[in-house]
């Protein structure tokens, strides 16, 4: 009984946090900024690879930053799917959501 109520309180707190996060326009701006920075970083990675004539995929720095971006974008999708559930794929913006998900 006690463990269930702890779990339920945690779930309710997370539900509230996730809903507030997705309704805050600053979250969308932050994700947009991450997308922009990621695109710039990809361009830098290609430029470095072109100038060196080698693959930059072996670079620990690029790999670590790439993994961090992947974690951020996966986390964003997880929160959106958690909050919206199936309506994520059936809302008016479903095409954008499918593009984001792919």
């Amino acid at each position: 009984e006690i463990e269930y109520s702890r779990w339920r309180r945690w779930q309710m707190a997370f539900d509230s946090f996730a809903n507030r996060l997705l309704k805050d326009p600053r979250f969308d701006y932050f994700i947009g900024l991450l997308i922009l920075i990621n695109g710039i970083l990809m361009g830098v990675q290609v430029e470095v690879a072109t100038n060196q004539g080698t693959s930059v995929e072996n670079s620990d720095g690029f790999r670590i930053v790439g993994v961090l971006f992947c974690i951020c974008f996966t986390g964003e999708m997880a929160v959106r799917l958690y909050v919206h559930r199936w309506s994520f794929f059936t809302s008016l913006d479903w095409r954008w959501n499918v593009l984001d998900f792919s």
Side-chain angles (χ1 to χ4, degrees), residues 41-58:
L41 183 68
M42 283 193 256
V44 168
Q45 189 174 3
V46 168
E47 183 68 23
V48 169
T50 303
N51 289 339
Q52 290 180 355
T54 61
S55 173
V56 195
E57 293 160 356
N58 296 328

Side-chain angles (χ1 to χ4, degrees), residues 15-27:
D15 286 352
S16 174
F17 168 76
N19 277 297
R20 281 189 324 242
L21 181 69
L22 292 183
K23 289 178 182 171
D24 191 339
R26 292 176 294 185
F27 180 71

Side-chain angles (χ1 to χ4, degrees), residues 43-100:
V44 168
Q45 189 174 3
V46 168
E47 183 68 23
V48 169
T50 303
N51 289 339
Q52 290 180 355
T54 61
S55 173
V56 195
E57 293 160 356
N58 296 328
S59 168
D60 288 339
F62 283 120
R63 182 174 296 148
I64 290 169
V65 172
V67 167
L68 290 175
F69 277 113
C70 185
I71 290 169
C72 289
F73 295 139
T74 302
E76 178 212 2
M77 281 293 104
V79 170
R80 289 187 188 279
L81 285 170
Y82 178 81
V83 169
H84 299 298
R85 293 181 173 68
W86 283 110
S87 69
F88 184 80
F89 297 108
T90 59
S91 68
L92 292 175
D93 292 332
W94 72 270
R95 289 175 184 89
W96 286 110
N97 294 338
V98 169
L99 178 68
D100 283 345

